[in-house]
Amino acid sequence: MTASDPPQDFRVGIVGAGMMGADHVKRITSTISGARVSAVVDPDQPRLASALENAPGATGYSRIEDALEADAVDGVLIATPGFLHEQVLLPCLAAGVPILCEKPLTTDPESSWRVLEAEQATGRQLIQVGFMRRFDPEYRQLRELIVSEEAGQLLMLRCAHRNPTVPDSYLQESLINDSVVHEFDVVPWLADSPIVGLEVKHTRRNRLTPERLKEPILVLMELANGTLVDLEMNVSIQFGYQVTTEAVFDSGIARIGETHGLQLWHRGRSGLAEHADFTTRFATAYDDQVQAWVDAARRGTIAGPSAWDGYKVAVACREGVASLFDGKPRTLDLPEVPAFYR
Ligand SMILES: NC(=O)c1ccc[n+]([C@@H]2O[C@H](COP(=O)([O-])OP(=O)(O)OC[C@H]3O[C@@H](n4cnc5c(N)ncnc54)[C@H](O)[C@@H]3O)[C@@H](O)[C@H]2O)c1
């Protein structure tokens, strides 16, 4: 290549062509600059074929090892179910390719720790975890406000995470592992302080929640700097999808995630349209996350939550699930941050 040649696109392999993977295929093909989908990996042939329709020139594989062996990718986006992340992460790390791994890093602290060890053995940070809320413009603004101390010191965060309904595959522990998992990453990032304790409380059960679930729940978190956080986690609220945060400061409050947009006065009522699910609420965050990852990967670095952040969330989820079932408060004992992640 000479100095005048255009830079080659970063070749991304998407592993897992389900709901998120198929969406990332479309995103990289149509929205992300400097990258193209060069491989899609999924053992499910109909899903693979359907995703490939949106990835011109890409090759389909049923195993990640085959795509790596064929030198078909410069980086990998993992969108398999969480319990399969470790088995995809390890060969990708061994091959030394940059990785954007959908949340969670893995589903328990032990497997996350094994991933940390494998990453450290490569000598550089290759993993960015897909906690995309850190790329949401309003969350970013709130973090800047907290850091600037313009309204004083942060005293409390009051969060709400509401879904209209959930699919049949959503179980009681999913309240923590699939939903609160996002707050376990974004809250310490906002406040720049780790979670040191948590407790899950049950309020009266929503009569509209499926038989197998007992919710809404209230998750209380204490951060190392003394900030208290409460989170209403609610998955049967019917009206729409809403993720809000109120930050309480010495001399003011700030709110993000409020419903906004066109307001309609009609037939004796006024109103705003609410999001139906996360795909529209966090559309910008998904795009910005993937663009930032591509740009950073091309420079040989990461641009978001690290594998260490993923490990911390795995510990919080374990304690959160325990408290969900026995109602007892938990302290979070984390090992010292390995020098590699400082
Ligand atoms: N960031 C977010 O807001 C968000 C939202 C939803 C899901 N997720 C995460 O995205 C990931 C995928 O979730 P989903 O809802 O798209 O799952 P999904 O079940 O719709 O899709 C998973 C796909 O992985 C494929 N698969 C299984 N084993 C595989 C293997 N060994 N190699 C390659 N492909 C394999 C399956 O055939 C399936 O097509 C999960 O980690 C989930 O937690 C993140």
Side-chain angles (χ1 to χ4, degrees):
M1 190 169 100
T2 68
S4 59
D5 285 335
Q8 296 291 308
D9 277 343
F10 184 75
R11 299 170 307 150
V12 180
I14 306 280
V15 188
M19 180 186 61
M20 291 305 285
D23 196 45
H24 285 309
V25 167
K26 286 189 214 148
R27 171 171 296 105
I28 291 174
T29 302
S30 61
T31 309
I32 303 301
S33 62
R36 68 181 167 88
V37 178
S38 59
V40 182
V41 184
D42 201 308
D44 182 317
Q45 292 305 311
R47 284 186 177 194
L48 179 64
S50 158
L52 283 168
E53 281 174 20
N54 294 309
T59 307
Y61 298 89
S62 48
R63 296 168 67 246
I64 179 60
E65 289 84 352
D66 296 337
L68 294 168
E69 211 160 287
D71 193 20
V73 300
D74 299 318
V76 167
L77 195 165
I78 301 176
T80 58
F83 74 94
L84 296 171
H85 287 181
E86 181 187 13
Q87 71 179 56
V88 181
L89 281 161
L90 295 179
C92 292
L93 288 171
V97 294
I99 300 157
L100 177 58
C101 179
E102 264 301 346
K103 63 84 190 162
L105 177 63
T106 71
T107 46
D108 61 79
E110 289 73 25
S111 54
S112 284
W113 190 261
R114 288 194 292 273
V115 170
L116 291 184
E117 289 185 326
E119 183 176 44
Q120 289 171 74
T122 72
R124 72 183 176 104
Q125 286 193 46
L126 290 168
I127 302 172
Q128 181 174 324
V129 185
F131 289 115
M132 79 299 170
R133 287 195 193 176
R134 295 193 191 194
F135 293 88
D136 174 68
E138 290 188 38
Y139 271 108
R140 297 193 93 128
Q141 270 181 295
L142 180 56
R143 185 166 192 265
E144 280 165 26
L145 180 66
I146 292 170
V147 170
S148 73
E149 296 202 354
E150 188 188 326
Q153 195 179 216
L154 176 70
L155 306 178
M156 277 187 267
L157 291 171
R158 326 287 312 266
C159 312
H161 185 163
R162 303 178 176 121
N163 287 249
T165 56
V166 279
D168 291 347
S169 57
Y170 194 97
L171 306 173
Q172 184 68 4
E173 56 268 32
S174 310
L175 287 163
I176 301 293
N177 290 335
D178 289 330
S179 299
V180 177
V181 64
H182 281 289
E183 275 82 10
F184 282 162
D185 176 70
V186 86
V187 160
W189 175 77
L190 278 176
D192 198 18
S193 186
I195 303 169
V196 292
L198 60 81
E199 181 176 358
V200 179
K201 314 264 307 169
H202 288 268
T203 186
R204 298 177 75 192
R205 183 172 175 276
N206 183 343
R207 288 170 299 180
L208 300 171
T209 205
E211 192 75 14
R212 65 186 184 282
L213 300 181
K214 185 165 183 258
E215 58 92 27
I217 55 172
L218 197 60
V219 183
L220 304 171
M221 291 169 241
E222 185 179 351
L223 307 187
N225 67 6
T227 305
L228 287 184
V229 182
D230 62 43
L231 163 67
E232 170 203 325
M233 185 66 241
N234 195 328
V235 297
S236 308
I237 200 154
Q238 314 291 317
F239 75 86
Y241 179 82
Q242 198 178 61
V243 172
T244 62
T245 306
E246 179 176 285
V248 182
F249 298 92
D250 292 323
S251 59
I253 60 165
R255 289 190 184 142
I256 60 167
E258 304 277 307
T259 313
H260 61 273
L262 180 137
Q263 188 171 3
L264 174 67
W265 288 261
H266 184 54
R267 294 187 177 147
R269 290 174 174 270
S270 74
L272 294 158
E274 186 49 275
H275 291 286
D277 62 35
F278 53 85
T279 56
T280 56
R281 167 68 180 84
F282 289 110
T284 306
Y286 291 118
D287 289 350
D288 290 357
Q289 165 188 250
V290 175
Q291 187 68 64
W293 170 67
V294 165
D295 294 346
R298 299 185 77 152
R299 296 191 306 270
T301 180
I302 62 169
S306 68
W308 174 251
D309 293 316
Y311 172 77
K312 286 190 294 186
V313 171
V315 172
C317 283
R318 166 171 290 176
E319 300 306 326
V321 170
S323 184
L324 175 74
F325 287 111
D326 71 11
K328 293 187 183 146
R330 290 293 195 294
T331 48
L332 266 62
D333 291 319
L334 286 168
E336 207 177 316
V337 190
F340 184 82
Y341 295 104
R342 266 181 226 138

